[in-house]
Coordinates of all heavy atoms in Angstrom, one line a residue:
M210 N -1.4 -7.5 8.9 CA -1.3 -6.1 8.5 C -1.0 -6.1 7.0 O -0.8 -7.2 6.4 CB -0.1 -5.4 9.2 CG -0.3 -5.3 10.7 SD 1.0 -4.4 11.5 CE 0.4 -2.7 11.2
A211 N -0.9 -4.9 6.4 CA -0.6 -4.8 5.0 C 0.8 -4.3 4.8 O 1.4 -3.7 5.7 CB -1.7 -3.8 4.4
L212 N 1.3 -4.4 3.6 CA 2.6 -3.9 3.2 C 2.6 -2.4 3.5 O 1.7 -1.7 3.1 CB 2.8 -4.2 1.8 CG 4.1 -3.6 1.2 CD1 5.3 -4.4 1.6 CD2 4.0 -3.5 -0.3
N213 N 3.7 -1.9 4.1 CA 3.9 -0.5 4.3 C 5.0 -0.1 3.3 O 6.2 -0.4 3.5 CB 4.4 -0.2 5.7 CG 4.6 1.3 6.0 OD1 4.7 2.1 5.0 ND2 4.6 1.6 7.2
T214 N 4.6 0.5 2.2 CA 5.5 0.9 1.1 C 6.6 1.8 1.5 O 7.6 1.9 0.9 CB 4.7 1.4 -0.1 OG1 4.0 2.6 0.3 CG2 3.8 0.4 -0.7
K215 N 6.4 2.5 2.6 CA 7.5 3.4 3.1 C 8.6 2.6 3.7 O 9.7 3.2 3.8 CB 6.9 4.3 4.2 CG 5.9 5.4 3.7 CD 5.4 6.2 4.8 CE 4.4 7.2 4.3 NZ 3.9 8.1 5.4
N216 N 8.4 1.4 4.0 CA 9.5 0.5 4.5 C 10.0 -0.4 3.5 O 10.7 -1.4 3.8 CB 9.0 -0.3 5.7 CG 8.6 0.6 6.9 OD1 9.1 1.7 7.0 ND2 7.8 0.1 7.8
F217 N 9.8 -0.2 2.2 CA 10.2 -1.1 1.1 C 11.1 -0.2 0.2 O 10.7 0.8 -0.3 CB 9.0 -1.6 0.4 CG 9.3 -2.6 -0.7 CD1 9.5 -3.9 -0.3 CD2 9.3 -2.3 -2.0 CE1 9.8 -4.9 -1.3 CE2 9.6 -3.2 -3.0 CZ 9.8 -4.5 -2.6
A218 N 12.4 -0.7 0.1 CA 13.3 0.1 -0.7 C 14.3 -0.8 -1.5 O 14.6 -1.8 -1.0 CB 14.1 1.1 0.2
A219 N 14.7 -0.3 -2.6 CA 15.7 -1.0 -3.4 C 17.1 -0.8 -2.8 O 17.5 0.4 -2.5 CB 15.7 -0.5 -4.8
L220 N 17.9 -1.9 -2.7 CA 19.2 -1.8 -2.2 C 20.2 -1.7 -3.4 O 21.2 -1.0 -3.3 CB 19.6 -3.0 -1.3 CG 18.8 -3.1 0.0 CD1 19.1 -4.4 0.7 CD2 19.1 -1.9 0.9
S221 N 19.9 -2.5 -4.4 CA 20.7 -2.6 -5.6 C 20.0 -3.2 -6.8 O 19.0 -3.9 -6.5 CB 22.0 -3.3 -5.4 OG 21.8 -4.7 -5.1
Y222 N 20.4 -2.9 -8.0 CA 19.7 -3.5 -9.1 C 20.7 -3.5 -10.3 O 21.6 -2.7 -10.4 CB 18.5 -2.7 -9.5 CG 18.7 -1.2 -9.7 CD1 19.0 -0.7 -10.9 CD2 18.6 -0.4 -8.6 CE1 19.2 0.7 -11.1 CE2 18.8 1.0 -8.8 CZ 19.1 1.5 -10.0 OH 19.3 2.8 -10.2
A223 N 20.5 -4.5 -11.1 CA 21.3 -4.7 -12.3 C 20.7 -5.8 -13.2 O 20.2 -6.8 -12.7 CB 22.8 -5.1 -12.0
N224 N 20.8 -5.6 -14.5 CA 20.4 -6.7 -15.4 C 19.0 -7.2 -15.2 O 18.7 -8.4 -15.3 CB 21.4 -7.8 -15.4 CG 22.8 -7.4 -15.8 OD1 22.9 -6.5 -16.7 ND2 23.8 -7.9 -15.2
G225 N 18.0 -6.4 -14.8 CA 16.7 -6.8 -14.6 C 16.4 -7.5 -13.2 O 15.3 -8.0 -13.0
Y226 N 17.4 -7.4 -12.3 CA 17.3 -8.0 -11.0 C 17.4 -6.9 -10.0 O 18.2 -6.0 -10.1 CB 18.4 -9.1 -10.8 CG 18.6 -9.4 -9.4 CD1 17.9 -10.4 -8.7 CD2 19.6 -8.8 -8.6 CE1 18.1 -10.7 -7.4 CE2 19.8 -9.1 -7.3 CZ 19.1 -10.1 -6.7 OH 19.3 -10.4 -5.4
T227 N 16.6 -7.0 -8.9 CA 16.6 -6.0 -7.8 C 16.7 -6.7 -6.5 O 16.0 -7.7 -6.3 CB 15.4 -5.0 -7.9 OG1 15.3 -4.4 -9.2 CG2 15.6 -3.9 -6.8
H228 N 17.5 -6.2 -5.6 CA 17.7 -6.6 -4.3 C 17.0 -5.6 -3.4 O 17.4 -4.4 -3.4 CB 19.1 -6.8 -3.9 CG 19.3 -7.3 -2.5 ND1 20.6 -7.4 -1.9 CD2 18.5 -7.7 -1.5 CE1 20.5 -7.9 -0.7 NE2 19.2 -8.1 -0.4
W229 N 15.9 -5.9 -2.7 CA 15.1 -5.0 -1.9 C 15.3 -5.2 -0.4 O 15.8 -6.3 0.0 CB 13.6 -5.3 -2.2 CG 13.2 -5.2 -3.6 CD1 13.2 -6.2 -4.5 CD2 12.8 -4.0 -4.3 NE1 12.7 -5.7 -5.8 CE2 12.5 -4.3 -5.6 CE3 12.6 -2.7 -3.9 CZ2 12.1 -3.4 -6.6 CZ3 12.2 -1.7 -4.8 CH2 11.9 -2.1 -6.2
H230 N 14.9 -4.2 0.4 CA 14.9 -4.4 1.8 C 13.5 -4.0 2.3 O 12.9 -3.0 1.8 CB 15.9 -3.5 2.5 CG 15.8 -3.7 4.0 ND1 15.1 -2.8 4.8 CD2 16.3 -4.6 4.8 CE1 15.2 -3.3 6.1 NE2 15.9 -4.4 6.1
Y231 N 13.0 -4.7 3.3 CA 11.7 -4.4 3.9 C 11.7 -4.6 5.4 O 12.3 -5.6 5.8 CB 10.6 -5.3 3.2 CG 9.2 -5.0 3.7 CD1 8.7 -3.8 3.6 CD2 8.5 -6.0 4.4 CE1 7.4 -3.5 4.1 CE2 7.2 -5.7 4.8 CZ 6.7 -4.5 4.7 OH 5.4 -4.2 5.1
A232 N 11.1 -3.7 6.1 CA 11.0 -3.9 7.6 C 9.6 -3.8 8.0 O 8.9 -2.9 7.5 CB 11.9 -2.8 8.3
T233 N 9.2 -4.7 8.9 CA 7.8 -4.7 9.3 C 7.6 -5.4 10.7 O 8.4 -6.2 11.1 CB 6.9 -5.5 8.3 OG1 5.6 -5.5 8.7 CG2 7.4 -6.9 8.1
P234 N 6.5 -5.0 11.4 CA 6.2 -5.7 12.6 C 5.5 -7.0 12.3 O 5.3 -7.9 13.2 CB 5.2 -4.8 13.4 CG 4.7 -3.8 12.3 CD 5.7 -3.7 11.3
D235 N 5.1 -7.3 11.1 CA 4.4 -8.5 10.7 C 5.4 -9.7 10.8 O 6.6 -9.5 10.6 CB 3.9 -8.5 9.2 CG 2.8 -7.5 9.0 OD1 2.1 -7.1 10.0 OD2 2.6 -7.0 7.9
T236 N 4.9 -10.9 11.0 CA 5.7 -12.1 11.1 C 6.1 -12.5 9.7 O 5.5 -12.1 8.7 CB 4.9 -13.2 11.7 OG1 3.8 -13.6 10.9 CG2 4.4 -12.9 13.1
A237 N 7.1 -13.4 9.6 CA 7.5 -14.0 8.3 C 6.3 -14.7 7.6 O 6.1 -14.6 6.4 CB 8.7 -14.9 8.5
A238 N 5.5 -15.4 8.4 CA 4.4 -16.2 7.9 C 3.4 -15.2 7.2 O 2.8 -15.6 6.2 CB 3.7 -17.0 9.0
T239 N 3.2 -14.1 7.8 CA 2.2 -13.1 7.2 C 2.8 -12.5 5.9 O 2.1 -12.4 4.9 CB 2.0 -12.0 8.2 OG1 1.3 -12.5 9.4 CG2 1.1 -10.9 7.6
V240 N 4.1 -12.2 6.0 CA 4.7 -11.6 4.8 C 4.8 -12.5 3.6 O 4.6 -12.1 2.5 CB 6.2 -11.1 5.2 CG1 6.9 -10.6 3.9 CG2 6.1 -10.0 6.2
D241 N 4.9 -13.8 3.8 CA 5.0 -14.7 2.7 C 3.7 -15.2 2.2 O 3.6 -16.0 1.3 CB 6.0 -15.9 3.0 CG 5.4 -17.0 3.8 OD1 4.2 -17.0 4.0 OD2 6.2 -17.9 4.1
T242 N 2.6 -14.6 2.6 CA 1.2 -14.8 2.1 C 1.1 -14.3 0.7 O 1.5 -13.2 0.4 CB 0.2 -14.2 3.0 OG1 0.3 -14.7 4.4 CG2 -1.2 -14.5 2.5
T243 N 0.5 -15.1 -0.2 CA 0.3 -14.6 -1.6 C -0.5 -13.3 -1.5 O -1.5 -13.2 -0.8 CB -0.4 -15.7 -2.4 OG1 0.3 -16.9 -2.4 CG2 -0.7 -15.2 -3.8
G244 N 0.0 -12.3 -2.2 CA -0.7 -11.0 -2.3 C -0.1 -10.0 -1.4 O -0.5 -8.8 -1.5
Y245 N 0.7 -10.3 -0.4 CA 1.2 -9.4 0.5 C 1.9 -8.2 -0.2 O 1.8 -7.1 0.2 CB 2.1 -10.0 1.5 CG 2.6 -9.1 2.7 CD1 1.9 -9.0 3.8 CD2 3.8 -8.4 2.5 CE1 2.3 -8.2 4.9 CE2 4.2 -7.5 3.6 CZ 3.4 -7.4 4.7 OH 3.8 -6.6 5.7
F246 N 2.7 -8.5 -1.2 CA 3.5 -7.5 -1.9 C 2.7 -6.9 -3.2 O 3.4 -6.3 -4.0 CB 4.8 -8.1 -2.3 CG 5.7 -8.2 -1.1 CD1 5.9 -9.5 -0.6 CD2 6.4 -7.2 -0.6 CE1 6.8 -9.6 0.5 CE2 7.3 -7.3 0.5 CZ 7.5 -8.6 1.0
N247 N 1.4 -7.1 -3.3 CA 0.7 -6.7 -4.5 C 0.8 -5.1 -4.7 O 0.8 -4.7 -5.8 CB -0.8 -7.0 -4.4 CG -1.0 -8.5 -4.6 OD1 -0.1 -9.2 -4.9 ND2 -2.3 -8.9 -4.5
L248 N 1.0 -4.4 -3.6 CA 1.1 -2.9 -3.8 C 2.3 -2.5 -4.6 O 2.4 -1.4 -5.1 CB 1.1 -2.2 -2.5 CG -0.3 -2.2 -1.7 CD1 -0.1 -1.5 -0.3 CD2 -1.3 -1.4 -2.5
V249 N 3.3 -3.4 -4.6 CA 4.6 -3.1 -5.3 C 4.8 -4.0 -6.5 O 5.9 -4.2 -7.1 CB 5.8 -3.1 -4.4 CG1 5.7 -2.0 -3.4 CG2 5.9 -4.5 -3.7
A250 N 3.7 -4.6 -7.0 CA 3.7 -5.6 -8.1 C 4.4 -5.0 -9.4 O 5.1 -5.7 -10.1 CB 2.3 -6.1 -8.5
S251 N 4.2 -3.7 -9.6 CA 4.8 -3.0 -10.8 C 6.3 -2.8 -10.6 O 6.9 -2.5 -11.6 CB 4.1 -1.7 -11.0 OG 4.3 -0.8 -10.0
M252 N 6.8 -3.0 -9.4 CA 8.2 -2.8 -9.2 C 9.0 -4.1 -9.1 O 10.2 -4.1 -9.4 CB 8.4 -2.0 -7.9 CG 7.8 -0.6 -7.9 SD 7.6 0.2 -6.3 CE 9.2 0.0 -5.5
V253 N 8.4 -5.2 -8.6 CA 9.2 -6.4 -8.4 C 9.1 -7.4 -9.6 O 8.1 -7.4 -10.3 CB 8.8 -7.1 -7.1 CG1 9.0 -6.2 -5.9 CG2 7.3 -7.6 -7.1
N254 N 10.1 -8.2 -9.7 CA 10.2 -9.2 -10.8 C 10.4 -10.5 -10.2 O 11.0 -10.7 -9.1 CB 11.3 -8.8 -11.8 CG 11.0 -7.6 -12.5 OD1 10.0 -7.4 -13.2 ND2 12.0 -6.6 -12.4
V255 N 10.0 -11.6 -10.9 CA 10.3 -12.9 -10.5 C 11.8 -13.1 -10.4 O 12.6 -12.6 -11.2 CB 9.8 -13.9 -11.5 CG1 10.2 -15.4 -11.2 CG2 8.2 -13.9 -11.5
G256 N 12.3 -13.6 -9.3 CA 13.7 -13.8 -9.0 C 14.3 -12.7 -8.1 O 15.4 -12.9 -7.6
D257 N 13.6 -11.6 -8.0 CA 14.1 -10.5 -7.1 C 14.2 -11.1 -5.7 O 13.4 -12.0 -5.3 CB 13.2 -9.3 -7.1 CG 13.3 -8.4 -8.3 OD1 14.1 -8.7 -9.2 OD2 12.6 -7.4 -8.3
R258 N 15.1 -10.5 -4.9 CA 15.3 -11.0 -3.5 C 14.9 -9.8 -2.6 O 15.2 -8.7 -2.8 CB 16.8 -11.3 -3.3 CG 17.2 -11.8 -2.0 CD 18.6 -12.3 -1.9 NE 19.5 -11.2 -2.2 CZ 20.8 -11.2 -2.2 NH1 21.4 -12.4 -1.9 NH2 21.5 -10.2 -2.4
I259 N 14.2 -10.2 -1.5 CA 13.8 -9.2 -0.5 C 14.4 -9.6 0.8 O 14.0 -10.6 1.4 CB 12.2 -9.1 -0.4 CG1 11.6 -8.8 -1.8 CG2 11.8 -8.1 0.6 CD1 10.1 -9.0 -1.8
T260 N 15.4 -8.8 1.2 CA 15.9 -9.0 2.6 C 15.0 -8.3 3.5 O 14.6 -7.2 3.3 CB 17.4 -8.4 2.6 OG1 18.2 -9.1 1.7 CG2 18.0 -8.5 4.0
A261 N 14.6 -9.0 4.6 CA 13.6 -8.4 5.5 C 13.9 -8.5 7.0 O 14.5 -9.5 7.4 CB 12.3 -9.1 5.2
N262 N 13.5 -7.5 7.7 CA 13.5 -7.5 9.2 C 12.0 -7.7 9.5 O 11.3 -6.7 9.2 CB 14.1 -6.2 9.7 CG 15.5 -6.1 9.4 OD1 15.9 -5.6 8.4 ND2 16.4 -6.5 10.4
V263 N 11.6 -8.8 10.1 CA 10.2 -9.0 10.4 C 10.0 -9.1 11.9 O 11.0 -9.3 12.6 CB 9.7 -10.3 9.7 CG1 9.7 -10.2 8.2 CG2 10.4 -11.5 10.2
G264 N 8.8 -9.0 12.4 CA 8.5 -9.1 13.8 C 9.1 -8.0 14.6 O 9.3 -8.1 15.8
I265 N 9.3 -6.8 14.0 CA 9.8 -5.7 14.8 C 8.8 -5.3 15.9 O 7.6 -5.1 15.6 CB 10.1 -4.5 13.8 CG1 11.2 -4.9 12.8 CG2 10.5 -3.2 14.6 CD1 11.4 -3.9 11.7
G266 N 9.3 -5.1 17.1 CA 8.5 -4.7 18.2 C 7.9 -6.0 18.9 O 7.2 -5.9 19.9
G267 N 8.2 -7.2 18.4 CA 7.7 -8.4 19.0 C 8.9 -9.4 19.0 O 9.9 -9.1 19.7
T268 N 8.8 -10.5 18.3 CA 9.8 -11.4 18.2 C 10.5 -11.2 16.8 O 10.0 -11.6 15.8 CB 9.3 -12.9 18.3 OG1 8.6 -13.0 19.5 CG2 10.4 -13.9 18.2
P269 N 11.6 -10.5 16.8 CA 12.3 -10.1 15.5 C 13.0 -11.3 14.9 O 13.5 -12.2 15.5 CB 13.3 -9.0 15.9 CG 13.6 -9.4 17.4 CD 12.4 -9.9 17.9
A270 N 13.0 -11.2 13.6 CA 13.7 -12.2 12.7 C 14.2 -11.5 11.5 O 13.7 -10.4 11.1 CB 12.8 -13.4 12.3
Y271 N 15.2 -12.1 10.9 CA 15.9 -11.5 9.7 C 16.1 -12.6 8.7 O 16.5 -13.7 9.0 CB 17.2 -10.9 10.2 CG 18.1 -10.3 9.1 CD1 17.8 -9.2 8.4 CD2 19.2 -11.0 8.7 CE1 18.5 -8.6 7.4 CE2 20.0 -10.5 7.7 CZ 19.7 -9.3 7.1 OH 20.5 -8.8 6.1
G272 N 15.8 -12.3 7.4 CA 16.0 -13.3 6.4 C 15.7 -12.7 5.0 O 15.6 -11.5 4.8
E273 N 15.6 -13.7 4.1 CA 15.3 -13.3 2.7 C 14.1 -14.1 2.1 O 13.9 -15.2 2.4 CB 16.5 -13.6 1.8 CG 17.7 -12.7 2.2 CD 18.8 -12.8 1.2 OE1 19.0 -13.8 0.5 OE2 19.6 -11.8 1.2
F274 N 13.4 -13.3 1.3 CA 12.3 -13.9 0.5 C 12.7 -13.8 -0.9 O 13.4 -12.8 -1.3 CB 11.0 -13.1 0.7 CG 10.4 -13.1 2.1 CD1 10.8 -12.1 3.0 CD2 9.6 -14.1 2.5 CE1 10.3 -12.1 4.3 CE2 9.1 -14.1 3.8 CZ 9.4 -13.1 4.7
V275 N 12.3 -14.7 -1.8 CA 12.5 -14.6 -3.2 C 11.1 -14.5 -3.9 O 10.2 -15.2 -3.5 CB 13.2 -15.9 -3.7 CG1 13.3 -15.8 -5.3 CG2 14.6 -15.9 -3.1
V276 N 11.0 -13.6 -4.8 CA 9.8 -13.5 -5.6 C 9.6 -14.6 -6.5 O 10.4 -14.8 -7.4 CB 9.7 -12.1 -6.4 CG1 8.4 -12.0 -7.2 CG2 9.9 -10.9 -5.4
L277 N 8.6 -15.5 -6.3 CA 8.4 -16.7 -7.1 C 7.5 -16.4 -8.3 O 7.6 -17.1 -9.3 CB 7.8 -17.8 -6.2 CG 8.6 -18.2 -5.0 CD1 7.9 -19.3 -4.3 CD2 10.0 -18.7 -5.5
S278 N 6.5 -15.5 -8.1 CA 5.6 -15.2 -9.3 C 5.0 -13.8 -9.1 O 4.9 -13.3 -8.0 CB 4.5 -16.2 -9.4 OG 3.6 -16.2 -8.2
N279 N 4.7 -13.2 -10.2 CA 4.1 -11.9 -10.3 C 3.2 -11.9 -11.5 O 3.7 -11.5 -12.6 CB 5.2 -10.8 -10.3 CG 4.6 -9.4 -10.3 OD1 3.3 -9.2 -10.3 ND2 5.4 -8.4 -10.2
T280 N 2.0 -12.3 -11.4 CA 1.1 -12.5 -12.5 C -0.2 -11.7 -12.3 O -0.8 -11.9 -11.3 CB 0.7 -13.9 -12.7 OG1 1.9 -14.7 -12.9 CG2 -0.1 -14.1 -14.0
G281 N -0.5 -10.8 -13.2 CA -1.7 -10.0 -13.1 C -1.8 -9.1 -11.8 O -2.8 -8.9 -11.3
G282 N -0.6 -8.7 -11.3 CA -0.5 -7.9 -10.1 C -0.6 -8.6 -8.8 O -0.7 -8.1 -7.8
V283 N -0.6 -10.0 -8.9 CA -0.6 -10.8 -7.7 C 0.8 -11.4 -7.5 O 1.3 -12.1 -8.3 CB -1.6 -12.0 -7.8 CG1 -1.5 -12.8 -6.6 CG2 -3.0 -11.4 -8.0
V284 N 1.5 -11.0 -6.4 CA 2.8 -11.3 -6.1 C 2.9 -12.4 -5.1 O 2.2 -12.4 -4.1 CB 3.6 -10.1 -5.6 CG1 5.1 -10.5 -5.2 CG2 3.6 -9.0 -6.6
D285 N 3.7 -13.5 -5.3 CA 3.9 -14.5 -4.4 C 5.4 -14.7 -4.1 O 6.2 -14.7 -5.1 CB 3.3 -15.8 -4.9 CG 3.4 -16.9 -3.8 OD1 3.3 -16.6 -2.6 OD2 3.4 -18.1 -4.2
V286 N 5.8 -14.7 -2.8 CA 7.2 -14.9 -2.5 C 7.3 -16.3 -1.7 O 6.3 -16.8 -1.2 CB 7.7 -13.8 -1.6 CG1 7.7 -12.5 -2.3 CG2 7.0 -13.7 -0.2
G287 N 8.4 -16.9 -1.8 CA 8.7 -18.1 -1.0 C 8.8 -17.9 0.5 O 8.9 -16.7 0.9
D288 N 8.8 -18.9 1.2 CA 9.0 -18.8 2.7 C 10.4 -18.1 2.9 O 11.3 -18.2 2.1 CB 9.1 -20.2 3.3 CG 7.7 -20.9 3.2 OD1 6.7 -20.2 2.9 OD2 7.7 -22.1 3.5
M289 N 10.5 -17.4 4.0 CA 11.7 -16.7 4.4 C 12.8 -17.7 4.7 O 12.6 -18.6 5.5 CB 11.4 -15.8 5.6 CG 12.6 -14.9 5.9 SD 12.3 -13.7 7.2 CE 12.6 -14.7 8.7
T290 N 14.0 -17.4 4.2 CA 15.2 -18.2 4.6 C 15.8 -17.3 5.7 O 16.3 -16.2 5.4 CB 16.1 -18.3 3.3 OG1 15.5 -19.1 2.3 CG2 17.4 -19.0 3.8
A291 N 15.8 -17.9 6.9 CA 16.4 -17.1 8.0 C 17.9 -16.9 7.9 O 18.6 -17.8 7.4 CB 16.0 -17.8 9.3
M292 N 18.3 -15.8 8.4 CA 19.8 -15.5 8.4 C 20.1 -15.1 9.8 O 19.3 -14.7 10.6 CB 20.0 -14.3 7.5 CG 19.7 -14.6 6.0 SD 19.8 -13.1 5.0 CE 21.6 -13.0 4.8
G293 N 21.4 -15.2 10.1 CA 21.8 -14.9 11.5 C 22.2 -16.1 12.3 O 22.1 -17.3 11.8
G294 N 22.5 -16.0 13.5 CA 22.9 -17.1 14.3 C 22.0 -17.2 15.5 O 21.0 -16.5 15.7
T295 N 22.4 -18.2 16.3 CA 21.7 -18.4 17.6 C 22.4 -17.8 18.7 O 23.6 -17.8 18.8 CB 21.6 -20.0 17.8 OG1 21.0 -20.6 16.7 CG2 20.9 -20.3 19.1
D296 N 21.6 -17.1 19.6 CA 22.2 -16.5 20.8 C 21.9 -17.4 22.0 O 20.8 -17.5 22.4 CB 21.5 -15.1 21.0 CG 22.1 -14.3 22.1 OD1 23.1 -14.7 22.7 OD2 21.5 -13.3 22.5
T297 N 23.0 -18.0 22.5 CA 22.9 -19.0 23.5 C 23.1 -18.4 24.9 O 23.1 -19.2 25.9 CB 23.8 -20.2 23.3 OG1 25.2 -19.6 23.3 CG2 23.5 -20.9 22.0
D298 N 23.3 -17.1 25.1 CA 23.5 -16.6 26.4 C 22.3 -16.0 27.0 O 21.4 -15.5 26.9 CB 24.7 -15.6 26.4 CG 24.4 -14.4 25.5 OD1 23.6 -14.4 24.6 OD2 25.1 -13.4 25.8

């Protein structure tokens, strides 16, 4: 799927850095594809953090992506660093 800008919002910002939140039914592997965040290229900077809820409606996961590059409107984020714990029950 494509980025849904309605589900992309700033949580906080200071000194040229922004912490974003994004929620999507897409998997983490889809979201970290180069170009996924191109629609918001004018808003994100290298080093920005995107906290994300992915896999909504399927196999949900929660974690963070870091913007690694934003050149010529092409945004690339690193692989998602998963957050949360294991549910063993």
Side-chain angles (χ1 to χ4, degrees):
M210 297 182 83
L212 173 79
N213 182 343
T214 58
K215 292 181 182 180
N216 294 339
F217 188 77
L220 296 174
S221 63
Y222 53 91
N224 302 322
Y226 163 83
T227 305
H228 182 183
W229 302 93
H230 180 263
Y231 183 58
T233 181
D235 293 339
T236 66
T239 298
V240 173
D241 81 8
T242 302
T243 300
Y245 186 90
F246 288 100
N247 286 356
L248 289 175
V249 294
S251 64
M252 298 166 48
V253 299
N254 295 304
V255 172
D257 283 0
R258 185 173 60 179
I259 302 168
T260 299
N262 295 84
V263 298
I265 296 171
T268 304
Y271 175 73
E273 292 188 339
F274 297 93
V275 174
V276 178
L277 300 179
S278 65
N279 184 354
T280 305
V283 177
V284 178
D285 187 27
V286 298
D288 293 346
M289 186 176 84
T290 299
M292 300 173 73
T295 302
D296 183 12
T297 60
D298 60 340

